[in-house]
Amino acid sequence: LLAAVLRYLTPRETGMPSWLLAARDYLHASSDRPISLSELSQVAGVHPVHLVRVFRRKLGVTPAEYMRQLRLEIACRALAQTNLPIVEIALEAGFSSQAHMTRAFRVHLGSTPAAYRRERRSTS
């Protein structure tokens, strides 16, 4: 009876295989540095193509897009809550440069990091 209950409560409740949860957790833990697809697939223990297909199916984005979203969230939080220079925030969030972060901001948020900071500070 206990085994049946445990089987029911394990990763099936989220609809995600345990290796996918491990890959997602690894991305969260390593968001400040570049991670290759082969490194991520080794952590998950599955083929890179399978990893990308299942990741996109279950989470709605590719691993690279997921990592970009994580980095943008980290940068947004730092811009709103600290006075660190934008270049420092970019590097700490895992972007290769301030220009790289600015391009990602424009594409995904429609503004620059400086404009985002001003907007968040004026609403607080």
Side-chain angles (χ1 to χ4, degrees):
L1 181 60
L2 180 61
V5 170
L6 288 175
R7 257 183 269 134
Y8 178 73
L9 294 177
T10 51
R12 286 187 188 142
E13 70 186 50
T14 62
M16 288 194 275
S18 58
W19 61 262
L20 182 58
L21 296 172
R24 187 188 62 187
D25 291 346
Y26 188 75
L27 290 175
H28 280 268
S30 307
S31 62
D32 62 336
R33 65 179 188 82
I35 299 171
S36 68
L37 182 57
S38 62
E39 178 183 353
L40 189 59
S41 66
Q42 286 178 348
V43 167
V46 296
H47 192 274
V49 174
H50 183 63
L51 172 76
V52 172
R53 283 183 185 156
V54 174
F55 202 100
R56 187 178 319 145
R57 187 176 342 119
K58 297 292 186 178
L59 298 173
V61 292
T62 65
E65 291 166 341
Y66 191 87
M67 179 61 85
R68 193 173 308 109
Q69 289 173 356
L70 279 176
R71 289 177 176 159
L72 284 170
E73 288 173 16
I74 291 166
C76 286
R77 198 172 314 113
L79 287 166
Q81 298 174 356
T82 71
N83 291 320
L84 288 172
I86 293 173
V87 66
E88 274 187 49
I89 291 171
L91 297 175
E92 287 180 10
F95 291 98
S96 60
S97 66
Q98 180 177 344
H100 181 208
M101 183 174 86
T102 300
R103 280 191 304 275
F105 255 77
R106 281 194 180 123
V107 169
H108 296 284
L109 301 173
S111 71
T112 64
Y116 180 88
R117 176 177 263 174
R118 279 192 304 274
E119 182 182 309
R120 292 293 176 226
R121 297 275 169 93
S122 66
T123 59
S124 299

